[in-house]
Amino acid sequence: MSITNFPGGGASASTANSTTKITMPALSEMKRQGKAISALTAYDYATSRLVDEAGIDLILVGDSLAMVVLGHENTLAVTMDEMLHHTRAVRRGVRRALLVADMPFGSYHGTVAEGVANAIRFVKEAGAEAVKIEGARVELVRALFEAEIPVVGHLGLTPQSIHQMGGYRVQGRSADAALQLRADAHALAEAGAGAIVLEGVPREVAAMITAELPIPTIGIGAGPECDGQILVFHDLVGLTFAPAAKFVRRYGDAGAMIRLAVEGYREDIERRSFPSDEESYHLPETVRRTLDAPENTGRIRRV
Ligand code: KIV
């Protein structure tokens, strides 16, 4: 190996600052230091660049892509090729954040070997620095760890299990279910997961798991005690078409802003005020005079 270029200067996790490249070990260090981890999804070059430049620590190319970008009803339809395509675009926009790719439904539900092979594609072909998988797939997490691929687990409301769950429902509400979640979280951490997303679980359960685990928890609908928080980009900026879930906080209304901009554009075209003379290119004066000369007006030159 020849180290010719260390993105972010190669600072160690303990010296991480706002310009240092975020790695999986850096997230654990943030937990140890009590620093909150910010995470957000992104699906393309422009938005991932904005998210990265805003200082978000972890960017997930979520399989929520299926719904918010591709318009599917749930996350199940998105394919490996689609996830790879969008992960590559996000890769080009991200410099500092840890880039995590969500493994789509079906890409790790067969053998452990198939799961590892698909995870390797995200790292090799799309530049992901970690993959995320849903459920207590302890053997697969162990195999990925052994294959040097950092893994983010995902427990609680796991959208890829929509049919098994009978809909999107808060998980871990009974004592038995809470204890199972806790056991699953410990099992994933022991198998080598670098962080765990806790989605749609009671605040108290997430707080208990967060306090016990050596690795960070990233919550979405799991209360404020998680080590970090994640939201779907389109929910955060108001680019969705249905009422937001209880746990979503909207920080902008990009939908209204885009509507207004596009309507203004259409109206300007219709009233012929776009483009203006300033927005047009012009011929040099000498060429214009030549074209206006009597011998050239109305004459079509044949070659
Ligand atoms: O796909 C997704 O958006 C997720 C969430 C945890 C943000 O998995």
Side-chain angles (χ1 to χ4, degrees):
M1 177 182 80
S2 165
I3 303 172
T4 53
N5 180 17
F6 253 153
S12 72
S14 58
T15 59
N17 60 39
S18 62
T19 55
T20 310
K21 177 79 188 90
I22 301 291
T23 60
M24 192 65 96
L27 293 186
S28 283
E29 185 56 29
M30 286 175 78
K31 176 176 175 113
R32 272 190 288 281
Q33 294 181 4
K35 286 190 187 153
I37 298 163
S38 57
L40 192 59
T41 65
Y43 315 95
D44 61 29
Y45 172 76
T47 53
S48 64
R49 196 168 160 170
L50 292 171
V51 170
D52 191 54
E53 289 176 6
I56 293 292
D57 300 313
L58 183 158
I59 294 180
L60 170 70
V61 187
D63 63 351
S64 46
L65 161 73
M67 299 168 81
V68 298
V69 175
L70 304 180
H72 291 293
E73 210 174 294
N74 55 47
T75 60
L76 302 181
V78 73
T79 64
M80 271 298 291
D81 284 345
E82 287 165 337
M83 290 300 299
L84 286 166
H85 174 77
H86 284 266
T87 304
R88 281 186 210 109
V90 171
R91 172 72 283 163
R92 294 179 203 116
V94 174
R95 295 176 73 89
R96 173 184 172 271
L98 179 73
L99 176 54
V100 183
D102 225 353
M103 294 193 62
F105 178 65
S107 69
Y108 60 100
H109 297 76
T111 64
V112 166
E114 279 163 5
V116 172
N118 282 323
I120 286 173
R121 291 193 68 194
F122 278 106
V123 176
K124 227 181 164 76
E125 298 174 31
E129 294 157 340
V131 295
K132 179 169 81 57
I133 58 173
E134 296 185 5
R137 293 173 199 276
V138 177
E139 285 320 307
L140 178 57
V141 170
R142 191 166 288 120
L144 290 170
F145 180 78
E146 279 162 13
E148 326 291 350
I149 300 174
V151 192
V152 176
H154 184 163
L155 296 174
L157 193 171
T158 46
Q160 291 176 8
S161 316
I162 180 172
H163 296 317
Q164 206 166 46
M165 290 183 304
Y168 297 129
R169 301 183 205 296
V170 173
Q171 303 292 302
R173 284 193 128 131
S174 68
D176 277 354
L179 290 173
Q180 185 61 55
L181 259 181
R182 178 205 210 181
D184 290 346
H186 278 280
L188 289 182
E190 275 154 28
I196 297 180
V197 168
L198 294 176
E199 176 165 0
V201 302
R203 173 179 180 172
E204 297 77 9
V205 177
M208 173 180 71
I209 293 171
T210 300
E212 291 178 2
L213 286 192
I215 57 168
T217 59
I218 316 281
I220 173 164
E225 283 84 10
C226 292
D227 298 300
Q229 299 293 331
I230 186 163
L231 281 178
V232 167
F233 177 84
H234 289 58
D235 287 338
L236 179 106
V237 300
L239 259 184
T240 46
F241 299 89
K246 175 188 170 95
F247 57 80
V248 169
R249 190 181 292 178
R250 260 196 185 151
Y251 288 85
D253 196 348
M257 198 264 285
I258 291 172
R259 253 183 233 283
L260 211 66
V262 175
E263 281 167 11
Y265 169 66
R266 177 182 53 74
E267 282 163 15
D268 282 354
I269 293 173
E270 286 170 0
R271 71 165 88 98
R272 298 205 176 275
S273 75
F274 174 81
S276 67
D277 190 51
E278 291 72 37
E279 288 157 335
S280 307
Y281 296 106
H282 291 280
L283 285 173
E285 191 50 37
T286 48
V287 178
R288 212 164 75 191
R289 258 193 263 117
T290 309
L291 289 181
D292 285 346
E295 66 269 27
N296 285 325
T297 37
R299 207 184 87 194
I300 297 167
R301 187 176 294 167
R302 308 213 180 271
V303 280

